[in-house]
Amino acid sequence: MRLLLVEDEPQMADALTAALSRYDIIVDHAATLAIAEDAARDNVHDVIVLDRQLPDGDGLSLILHLRSIGSKTPVIVLTAQGTVADRVHGLDRGADDYLAKPFAVEELLARVRALLRRPPTMNALVVRIGALEFSLDSREVFVNGKPLELPRRELLVLEALVRRQGRTVLRSALEEAVYNFDDEIQSNALDSHVSRLRRKLVETDAGVTIHSMRGVGYLMRPAC
Ligand code: CA
């Protein structure tokens, strides 16, 4: 078995590598997200053990990257941030398992074995258009790999457009996606959500355009 260990603390990395090697596991070590992305590209690992706090960012972004390139390699996230909210967040982002530090190597091994018994997971629900990535699981948006925070209604508009990319989404469908039954909808509110969203996508160079189909709805596609 070949395992990719993404961990920046040398002591922790050495101890884990030594312990895992005793069980005939080949360990490739990456100390940064950038090295891990390179190492994961060849898709030769059976499992990835991923620390969250890395010098060049949150380890969870590696998962989104992996899933966006079609990798289904299972990921166990290691973290000192072991609160329920952290675990839920990690699992929502596509982690297959979560292990809070400190832990016994035996427990890590047991979880690795359990994961390898599972059938490969479904294709991750990440939609890519231009430089935009939208996680349908967690509703997180990345542009050129950087998170894009959006107010709730703009996010819901974007989700509806992303799910039907290349097709016209009727105004009524967008309004249903954005508003509860109880909300009072102002006639131009949808258009202002769309124009704010459109401006942010242009500003961040997302490589997508939102076309207005006058009176009918909107359509999203990659910018030419
Ligand atoms: Ca760390």
Side-chain angles (χ1 to χ4, degrees), residues 33 37 50 57-66 93 142 145:
L33 273 175
E37 279 186 14
L50 178 64
D58 185 336
L60 292 182
S61 65
L62 177 70
I63 303 178
L64 201 60
H65 172 76
L66 287 173
R93 289 286 294 274
F142 289 79

Side-chain angles (χ1 to χ4, degrees), residues 6-136:
V6 188
E7 168 65 71
D8 59 324
E9 288 149 57
Q11 275 186 326
M12 181 79 175
D14 289 349
L16 275 178
T17 302
L20 293 165
S21 304
R22 280 202 292 278
Y23 294 89
D24 291 319
I25 296 173
I26 299 164
V27 180
D28 293 320
H29 173 228
T32 64
L33 273 175
I35 297 171
E37 279 186 14
D38 271 350
R41 188 165 301 138
D42 299 332
N43 213 8
V44 295
H45 300 101
D46 301 295
V47 64
I48 296 172
V49 174
L50 178 64
D51 186 31
R52 274 196 65 177
Q53 289 164 310
L54 294 163
D56 48 349
D58 185 336
L60 292 182
S61 65
L62 177 70
I63 303 178
L64 201 60
H65 172 76
L66 287 173
R67 302 309 181 229
S68 74
I69 59 172
S71 165
K72 294 169 189 161
T73 309
V75 178
I76 300 177
V77 172
L78 298 181
T79 184
Q81 304 156 300
T83 67
V84 172
D86 285 324
R87 289 200 300 275
V88 169
H89 181 62
L91 293 168
D92 277 347
R93 289 286 294 274
D96 296 275
D97 204 347
Y98 218 96
L99 194 53
K101 290 175 179 177
F103 56 89
V105 173
E106 284 74 11
E107 185 175 6
L108 175 60
L109 281 167
R111 286 169 187 253
V112 167
R113 284 194 301 269
L115 276 184
L116 296 180
R117 284 195 297 269
R118 269 200 218 165
T121 45
M122 287 168 45
N123 274 324
L125 299 169
V126 175
V127 178
R128 289 191 95 158
I129 315 170
L132 176 80
E133 288 175 321
F134 191 103
S135 164
L136 298 175

Side-chain angles (χ1 to χ4, degrees), residues 6 38 59 63 66 90-91 107 112 135-136 140 147 151 153 167 169 171 175 182 196 198-199 202 204 208-209 213-214:
V6 188
D38 271 350
I63 303 178
L66 287 173
L91 293 168
E107 185 175 6
V112 167
S135 164
L136 298 175
E140 278 169 300
R153 283 178 174 155
R167 286 180 281 163
V169 186
R171 293 186 65 87
E175 282 170 350
D182 300 337
R196 279 195 297 271
R198 185 187 274 139
R199 193 169 63 234
V202 168
T204 54
V208 297
T209 54
M213 318 300 280
R214 195 176 286 276

